[in-house]
Coordinates of all heavy atoms in Angstrom, one line a residue:
M1 N 107.1 130.4 85.2 CA 106.8 129.5 84.0 C 107.9 128.5 83.8 O 107.6 127.3 83.5 CB 106.6 130.4 82.8 CG 106.3 129.7 81.5 SD 104.6 129.1 81.6 CE 104.3 128.7 79.9
V2 N 109.2 128.9 83.9 CA 110.3 128.0 83.7 C 110.3 126.9 84.8 O 110.5 125.7 84.5 CB 111.7 128.7 83.7 CG1 112.8 127.8 83.7 CG2 111.7 129.7 82.5
R3 N 109.9 127.3 86.0 CA 109.9 126.3 87.1 C 108.8 125.3 86.8 O 109.1 124.1 87.1 CB 109.5 127.1 88.4 CG 109.3 126.2 89.6 CD 110.4 126.2 90.5 NE 110.1 125.5 91.7 CZ 110.8 124.4 92.1 NH1 111.7 124.0 91.5 NH2 110.4 123.9 93.3
K4 N 107.7 125.6 86.3 CA 106.6 124.6 85.9 C 107.1 123.7 84.9 O 106.8 122.4 84.9 CB 105.4 125.3 85.5 CG 104.6 125.9 86.6 CD 103.3 126.5 86.1 CE 102.5 127.1 87.3 NZ 101.2 127.6 86.8
K5 N 107.8 124.1 83.9 CA 108.4 123.3 82.8 C 109.4 122.3 83.5 O 109.4 121.2 83.0 CB 109.0 124.1 81.8 CG 108.0 124.8 80.9 CD 108.6 125.6 79.8 CE 107.6 126.3 78.9 NZ 108.2 127.0 77.8
I6 N 110.2 122.8 84.4 CA 111.3 121.9 85.0 C 110.5 120.8 85.9 O 110.9 119.7 85.8 CB 112.2 122.8 85.9 CG1 113.1 123.6 85.0 CG2 113.1 121.8 86.8 CD1 114.0 124.6 85.7
L7 N 109.5 121.3 86.5 CA 108.8 120.3 87.4 C 108.1 119.2 86.5 O 108.0 118.1 86.7 CB 107.8 120.9 88.3 CG 108.3 121.7 89.5 CD1 107.3 122.5 90.2 CD2 109.1 120.8 90.4
A8 N 107.5 119.7 85.4 CA 106.8 118.8 84.5 C 107.8 117.8 83.8 O 107.5 116.6 83.8 CB 106.1 119.6 83.4
L9 N 109.0 118.3 83.5 CA 110.0 117.4 82.9 C 110.4 116.4 84.0 O 110.7 115.2 83.6 CB 111.2 118.3 82.5 CG 112.4 117.5 81.9 CD1 112.0 116.7 80.6 CD2 113.5 118.4 81.5
E10 N 110.6 116.8 85.2 CA 111.0 115.9 86.2 C 109.9 114.8 86.4 O 110.3 113.6 86.5 CB 111.1 116.7 87.6 CG 111.5 115.8 88.7 CD 111.7 116.7 90.0 OE1 112.5 117.5 90.1 OE2 110.9 116.4 91.0
K11 N 108.7 115.1 86.3 CA 107.6 114.2 86.6 C 107.6 113.2 85.3 O 107.3 112.0 85.5 CB 106.2 114.8 86.7 CG 106.1 115.5 88.1 CD 104.8 116.1 88.2 CE 104.6 116.8 89.6 NZ 103.4 117.5 89.8
I12 N 107.8 113.7 84.2 CA 108.0 112.8 83.0 C 109.1 111.8 83.2 O 109.0 110.6 82.9 CB 108.1 113.6 81.7 CG1 106.8 114.4 81.4 CG2 108.5 112.8 80.5 CD1 106.9 115.5 80.4
E13 N 110.2 112.4 83.6 CA 111.4 111.4 83.9 C 111.1 110.4 84.9 O 111.4 109.2 84.7 CB 112.7 112.2 84.3 CG 113.1 113.1 83.1 CD 114.3 114.0 83.5 OE1 114.6 114.2 84.7 OE2 114.9 114.6 82.7
I14 N 110.4 110.7 85.9 CA 110.0 109.8 87.0 C 109.1 108.7 86.4 O 109.1 107.6 86.6 CB 109.4 110.5 88.2 CG1 110.5 111.3 89.0 CG2 108.7 109.5 89.1 CD1 110.0 112.3 90.0
S15 N 108.1 109.2 85.6 CA 107.1 108.3 85.0 C 107.8 107.3 84.0 O 107.5 106.1 84.1 CB 106.1 109.1 84.3 OG 105.2 108.3 83.6
N16 N 108.7 107.8 83.3 CA 109.4 107.0 82.3 C 110.3 105.9 83.1 O 110.3 104.8 82.7 CB 110.4 107.8 81.5 CG 109.7 108.5 80.4 OD1 108.5 108.3 80.1 ND2 110.2 109.6 79.9
E17 N 110.9 106.3 84.2 CA 111.6 105.5 85.0 C 110.8 104.3 85.6 O 111.2 103.2 85.5 CB 112.2 106.2 86.2 CG 113.2 105.5 87.1 CD 113.8 106.5 88.1 OE1 113.1 106.7 89.2 OE2 114.9 106.9 87.9
L18 N 109.6 104.7 86.1 CA 108.7 103.6 86.6 C 108.1 102.7 85.6 O 108.0 101.6 85.8 CB 107.6 104.3 87.5 CG 108.0 105.0 88.8 CD1 106.9 105.7 89.4 CD2 108.6 104.0 89.7
N19 N 107.7 103.3 84.5 CA 107.1 102.6 83.4 C 108.1 101.5 82.8 O 107.7 100.5 82.5 CB 106.6 103.5 82.3 CG 105.3 104.1 82.6 OD1 104.5 103.6 83.4 ND2 105.2 105.3 82.1
Y20 N 109.4 101.9 82.7 CA 110.4 101.0 82.3 C 110.4 99.7 83.0 O 110.4 98.7 82.6 CB 111.7 101.7 82.2 CG 112.8 100.7 81.7 CD1 113.1 100.5 80.4 CD2 113.6 100.0 82.7 CE1 114.0 99.7 80.0 CE2 114.6 99.2 82.3 CZ 114.8 99.0 80.9 OH 115.8 98.1 80.4
W21 N 110.4 99.9 84.4 CA 110.6 98.7 85.3 C 109.3 98.0 85.3 O 109.2 96.7 85.7 CB 111.1 99.1 86.6 CG 112.5 99.6 86.5 CD1 112.9 100.9 86.7 CD2 113.6 98.8 86.1 NE1 114.3 100.9 86.3 CE2 114.8 99.7 86.0 CE3 113.8 97.5 85.6 CZ2 115.9 99.3 85.6 CZ3 115.0 97.1 85.3 CH2 116.1 98.0 85.2
V22 N 108.1 98.7 85.2 CA 106.8 97.9 85.1 C 106.7 97.0 83.9 O 106.3 95.8 84.0 CB 105.6 98.9 85.2 CG1 104.3 98.2 84.9 CG2 105.6 99.6 86.6
D23 N 107.3 97.5 82.8 CA 107.2 96.7 81.6 C 108.2 95.6 81.5 O 108.1 94.7 80.7 CB 107.4 97.7 80.3 CG 106.1 98.6 80.2 OD1 105.1 98.3 80.7 OD2 106.3 99.6 79.5
F24 N 109.3 95.8 82.3 CA 110.4 94.8 82.1 C 110.5 94.1 83.5 O 109.6 93.6 84.1 CB 111.7 95.5 81.7 CG 111.7 96.0 80.3 CD1 111.3 97.3 80.1 CD2 111.8 95.1 79.2 CE1 111.3 97.8 78.8 CE2 111.7 95.6 78.0 CZ 111.4 96.9 77.7
E25 N 111.7 94.0 84.0 CA 112.0 93.3 85.2 C 111.8 94.1 86.4 O 112.5 95.2 86.6 CB 113.5 92.8 85.2 CG 113.9 91.9 86.3 CD 115.3 91.5 86.4 OE1 115.9 91.5 85.3 OE2 115.9 91.2 87.4
R26 N 110.8 93.8 87.3 CA 110.5 94.6 88.4 C 111.6 94.4 89.5 O 112.0 93.2 89.7 CB 109.1 94.2 88.9 CG 108.0 94.7 88.0 CD 106.7 94.3 88.6 NE 105.7 94.6 87.7 CZ 104.4 94.6 87.9 NH1 104.0 94.4 89.1 NH2 103.6 95.0 87.0
P27 N 111.9 95.4 90.3 CA 112.8 95.2 91.4 C 112.2 94.3 92.4 O 111.0 94.4 92.7 CB 113.0 96.6 92.0 CG 112.6 97.5 90.9 CD 111.6 96.9 90.1
S28 N 113.0 93.4 93.1 CA 112.5 92.5 94.0 C 112.9 92.8 95.5 O 112.4 92.1 96.4 CB 112.8 91.1 93.7 OG 114.3 91.0 93.6
T29 N 113.9 93.7 95.7 CA 114.3 94.1 97.0 C 114.2 95.6 97.1 O 114.2 96.3 96.1 CB 115.7 93.6 97.3 OG1 116.6 94.3 96.5 CG2 115.8 92.2 97.2
H30 N 114.2 96.1 98.4 CA 114.3 97.5 98.5 C 115.5 98.2 97.9 O 115.5 99.2 97.3 CB 114.3 97.9 100.1 CG 113.0 97.6 100.7 ND1 112.7 96.5 101.5 CD2 111.8 98.3 100.7 CE1 111.6 96.5 101.9 NE2 111.0 97.5 101.5
E31 N 116.6 97.5 98.1 CA 117.9 98.0 97.5 C 117.8 98.1 96.0 O 118.3 99.1 95.4 CB 119.1 97.1 98.0 CG 119.4 97.2 99.4 CD 118.5 96.4 100.3 OE1 117.8 95.4 99.7 OE2 118.5 96.5 101.5
E32 N 117.3 97.0 95.4 CA 117.2 97.0 94.0 C 116.2 98.1 93.5 O 116.5 98.8 92.4 CB 116.7 95.6 93.5 CG 116.8 95.4 92.0 CD 116.4 94.0 91.6 OE1 115.8 93.2 92.4 OE2 116.5 93.7 90.4
F33 N 115.2 98.3 94.2 CA 114.2 99.4 93.8 C 114.9 100.7 93.8 O 114.7 101.5 93.0 CB 113.0 99.3 94.8 CG 112.0 100.3 94.4 CD1 111.0 100.0 93.5 CD2 111.8 101.5 95.1 CE1 110.0 100.9 93.1 CE2 110.8 102.4 94.7 CZ 109.9 102.1 93.7
L34 N 115.7 100.9 95.0 CA 116.4 102.2 95.1 C 117.4 102.4 93.9 O 117.5 103.5 93.3 CB 117.1 102.3 96.4 CG 117.9 103.6 96.7 CD1 117.0 104.8 96.6 CD2 118.6 103.4 98.0
D35 N 118.1 101.4 93.6 CA 119.1 101.4 92.5 C 118.4 101.7 91.1 O 118.9 102.4 90.3 CB 119.8 100.1 92.4 CG 120.9 99.9 93.5 OD1 121.2 101.0 94.2 OD2 121.4 98.8 93.8
K36 N 117.2 101.1 90.9 CA 116.6 101.1 89.6 C 115.7 102.4 89.5 O 115.3 102.7 88.4 CB 115.9 99.9 89.3 CG 116.8 98.7 89.1 CD 116.1 97.4 88.7 CE 117.2 96.4 88.4 NZ 116.5 95.1 87.9
T37 N 115.2 103.0 90.6 CA 114.3 104.1 90.5 C 114.8 105.2 91.4 O 114.1 105.7 92.2 CB 112.9 103.6 90.9 OG1 113.0 103.2 92.3 CG2 112.3 102.6 90.0
P38 N 116.0 105.7 91.1 CA 116.6 106.7 92.0 C 115.8 108.0 91.9 O 115.6 108.8 93.0 CB 118.0 106.9 91.5 CG 118.0 106.4 90.1 CD 116.9 105.4 90.1
R39 N 115.3 108.4 90.8 CA 114.5 109.7 90.7 C 113.2 109.6 91.5 O 112.8 110.5 92.1 CB 114.2 110.0 89.2 CG 115.4 110.5 88.4 CD 115.0 110.9 87.0 NE 116.1 111.2 86.3 CZ 116.7 110.5 85.3 NH1 116.1 109.3 85.0 NH2 117.7 110.9 84.6
F40 N 112.5 108.5 91.4 CA 111.3 108.3 92.1 C 111.5 108.4 93.6 O 110.8 108.9 94.3 CB 110.6 107.1 91.6 CG 109.3 106.7 92.3 CD1 108.3 107.7 92.2 CD2 109.1 105.6 93.1 CE1 107.0 107.4 92.9 CE2 108.0 105.4 93.8 CZ 106.8 106.3 93.6
C41 N 112.6 107.6 94.0 CA 112.9 107.6 95.5 C 113.3 109.0 95.9 O 112.8 109.4 97.1 CB 114.0 106.6 95.7 SG 113.6 104.9 95.4
E42 N 114.1 109.8 95.2 CA 114.4 111.1 95.5 C 113.1 112.0 95.6 O 112.9 112.8 96.6 CB 115.3 111.7 94.5 CG 115.8 113.0 94.8 CD 116.8 113.6 93.9 OE1 117.4 112.8 93.1 OE2 117.0 114.9 93.8
Y43 N 112.2 111.8 94.7 CA 111.0 112.6 94.7 C 110.2 112.2 96.0 O 109.7 113.1 96.7 CB 110.1 112.2 93.5 CG 108.7 112.7 93.6 CD1 108.4 114.0 93.4 CD2 107.6 111.8 93.9 CE1 107.0 114.5 93.5 CE2 106.3 112.2 94.1 CZ 106.1 113.6 93.8 OH 104.8 114.0 93.9
L44 N 110.0 110.9 96.3 CA 109.3 110.5 97.5 C 109.9 111.1 98.7 O 109.2 111.7 99.7 CB 109.3 109.0 97.6 CG 108.4 108.2 96.7 CD1 108.5 106.7 97.0 CD2 106.9 108.6 96.9
F45 N 111.2 111.0 98.9 CA 111.9 111.5 100.0 C 111.7 113.1 100.1 O 111.4 113.6 101.2 CB 113.4 111.2 99.9 CG 114.3 111.8 101.0 CD1 114.2 111.2 102.3 CD2 114.9 113.0 100.9 CE1 114.9 111.7 103.4 CE2 115.7 113.5 102.0 CZ 115.7 112.9 103.2
G46 N 111.8 113.8 99.0 CA 111.6 115.2 99.0 C 110.3 115.6 99.5 O 110.1 116.6 100.3
E47 N 109.3 115.0 98.9 CA 107.9 115.3 99.2 C 107.5 114.9 100.6 O 106.9 115.7 101.4 CB 106.9 114.5 98.3 CG 106.9 115.1 96.9 CD 106.5 116.6 96.7 OE1 105.4 116.9 97.2 OE2 107.3 117.4 96.2
A48 N 108.0 113.8 101.1 CA 107.8 113.4 102.6 C 108.4 114.5 103.5 O 107.8 114.9 104.5 CB 108.3 112.0 102.8
T49 N 109.6 114.7 103.2 CA 110.4 115.7 104.0 C 109.7 117.1 104.0 O 109.6 117.7 105.1 CB 111.8 115.9 103.5 OG1 112.4 114.6 103.6 CG2 112.6 116.9 104.4
K50 N 109.3 117.5 102.9 CA 108.6 118.8 102.8 C 107.3 118.8 103.6 O 106.9 119.8 104.2 CB 108.2 119.1 101.3 CG 107.6 120.4 101.1 CD 107.6 120.8 99.5 CE 106.9 119.7 98.7 NZ 106.7 120.2 97.3
N51 N 106.6 117.7 103.6 CA 105.4 117.6 104.4 C 105.5 117.1 105.9 O 104.6 116.8 106.5 CB 104.4 116.7 103.7 CG 103.8 117.3 102.4 OD1 103.1 118.2 102.4 ND2 104.4 116.8 101.3
E52 N 106.8 117.0 106.3 CA 107.2 116.5 107.6 C 106.6 115.1 108.0 O 106.0 114.9 109.0 CB 106.8 117.5 108.7 CG 107.6 118.9 108.5 CD 107.2 119.9 109.5 OE1 106.3 119.7 110.4 OE2 107.9 121.0 109.4
L53 N 106.7 114.2 107.0 CA 106.2 112.9 107.1 C 107.3 111.9 106.9 O 108.3 112.2 106.2 CB 105.1 112.6 106.2 CG 103.8 113.5 106.2 CD1 102.9 113.3 105.0 CD2 103.0 113.2 107.5
T54 N 107.1 110.7 107.3 CA 108.0 109.6 106.9 C 107.6 109.2 105.4 O 106.5 109.6 105.0 CB 107.9 108.4 107.8 OG1 106.6 107.8 107.5 CG2 108.2 108.6 109.2
I55 N 108.5 108.5 104.7 CA 108.1 108.1 103.4 C 106.8 107.2 103.4 O 105.9 107.3 102.6 CB 109.3 107.5 102.7 CG1 110.3 108.5 102.5 CG2 108.8 106.8 101.4 CD1 111.6 107.9 101.8
G56 N 106.8 106.3 104.4 CA 105.7 105.4 104.6 C 104.4 106.2 104.8 O 103.4 105.9 104.2
E57 N 104.4 107.2 105.7 CA 103.3 108.1 105.9 C 102.8 108.9 104.7 O 101.6 108.9 104.3 CB 103.5 109.0 107.0 CG 103.7 108.5 108.4 CD 104.3 109.4 109.4 OE1 105.0 110.4 109.1 OE2 104.0 109.2 110.6
F58 N 103.8 109.3 103.9 CA 103.5 110.1 102.7 C 102.8 109.1 101.7 O 101.7 109.5 101.1 CB 104.8 110.7 102.1 CG 104.5 111.3 100.8 CD1 103.9 112.6 100.8 CD2 104.8 110.8 99.6 CE1 103.7 113.3 99.6 CE2 104.7 111.5 98.4 CZ 104.1 112.7 98.4
I59 N 103.3 108.0 101.5 CA 102.7 107.0 100.5 C 101.4 106.6 101.0 O 100.4 106.6 100.2 CB 103.6 105.8 100.4 CG1 104.9 106.2 99.7 CG2 102.9 104.7 99.6 CD1 105.9 105.1 99.6
A60 N 101.2 106.3 102.4 CA 99.9 105.9 102.9 C 98.8 107.0 102.7 O 97.7 106.7 102.3 CB 100.0 105.6 104.4
N61 N 99.2 108.3 102.7 CA 98.3 109.4 102.6 C 97.9 109.5 101.1 O 96.9 110.1 100.8 CB 98.9 110.7 103.0 CG 99.0 110.8 104.5 OD1 98.4 110.2 105.2 ND2 99.9 111.7 104.9
K62 N 98.7 109.0 100.1 CA 98.4 109.1 98.7 C 97.6 107.9 98.2 O 97.0 108.0 97.1 CB 99.7 109.2 97.9 CG 100.5 110.4 98.2 CD 99.7 111.6 97.8 CE 100.5 112.9 98.1 NZ 99.6 114.1 97.7
I63 N 97.5 106.9 99.0 CA 96.8 105.7 98.5 C 95.3 105.9 99.0 O 95.1 106.1 100.2 CB 97.4 104.4 99.1 CG1 98.8 104.2 98.7 CG2 96.5 103.2 98.8 CD1 99.5 103.0 99.3
P64 N 94.3 105.8 98.0 CA 93.0 105.9 98.4 C 92.6 104.9 99.3 O 92.9 103.7 99.2 CB 92.2 105.7 97.0 CG 93.3 105.9 96.0 CD 94.5 105.5 96.6
Q65 N 91.8 105.3 100.4 CA 91.3 104.4 101.5 C 90.1 103.8 101.0 O 89.1 104.5 100.4 CB 91.1 105.1 102.7 CG 92.5 105.8 103.3 CD 93.5 104.7 103.5 OE1 93.2 103.8 104.1 NE2 94.7 105.0 103.1
T66 N 89.8 102.5 101.1 CA 88.6 101.8 100.8 C 87.7 101.8 102.1 O 88.3 101.6 103.2 CB 88.9 100.4 100.3 OG1 89.5 99.7 101.3 CG2 89.6 100.4 99.0
K67 N 86.5 102.0 101.9 CA 85.5 102.0 103.0 C 85.1 100.5 103.2 O 84.8 99.8 102.3 CB 84.3 102.8 102.7 CG 84.6 104.3 102.6 CD 83.4 105.1 102.4 CE 83.7 106.5 102.2 NZ 82.5 107.4 102.0
T68 N 85.1 100.1 104.5 CA 84.6 98.8 104.9 C 83.2 98.9 105.2 O 82.7 99.9 105.8 CB 85.4 98.2 106.1 OG1 85.3 99.1 107.2 CG2 86.9 98.1 105.7
R69 N 82.4 97.9 104.8 CA 81.0 97.8 105.1 C 80.8 97.2 106.4 O 81.4 96.1 106.7 CB 80.3 97.1 104.0 CG 80.3 97.9 102.7 CD 79.6 97.2 101.5 NE 80.0 97.8 100.3 CZ 79.0 98.0 99.4 NH1 77.8 97.6 99.6 NH2 79.3 98.7 98.3
G70 N 80.0 97.7 107.3 CA 79.7 97.1 108.6 C 78.4 96.8 108.8 O 77.4 96.8 108.2

């Protein structure tokens, strides 16, 4: 139960971090993004590593694919 609360708090902190930058000045470089969203970047790295994927592969797997009409 405590573990779930910690994970929920972590997700709230990540959400707050991202929402702050969406509402204000968005990072324009990879370095700036890393500096301004360290919790989110750490989360992405951790999840990608846990799933034995690159960060790019992890993100691509999370983005819904659109079907093309042929």
Side-chain angles (χ1 to χ4, degrees):
M1 181 74 164
V2 172
R3 175 102 171 118
K4 285 185 179 183
K5 286 183 181 180
I6 291 171
L7 290 176
L9 179 59
E10 180 179 296
K11 288 180 180 179
I12 290 170
E13 289 174 349
I14 291 169
S15 177
N16 287 340
E17 182 176 83
L18 292 173
N19 284 331
Y20 177 81
W21 293 113
V22 167
D23 290 341
F24 293 99
E25 183 181 337
R26 294 181 183 190
S28 59
T29 65
H30 290 102
E31 292 81 12
E32 190 178 8
F33 186 80
L34 180 58
D35 286 342
K36 293 184 176 186
T37 60
R39 287 183 184 107
F40 180 62
C41 292
E42 184 178 338
Y43 167 79
L44 288 176
F45 178 78
E47 290 297 306
T49 301
K50 182 170 55 176
N51 291 288
E52 298 180 356
L53 300 168
T54 66
I55 292 174
E57 291 168 336
F58 177 76
I59 292 170
N61 287 341
K62 295 297 179 184
I63 297 173
Q65 301 298 312
T66 58
K67 293 183 181 180
T68 58
R69 296 179 187 220

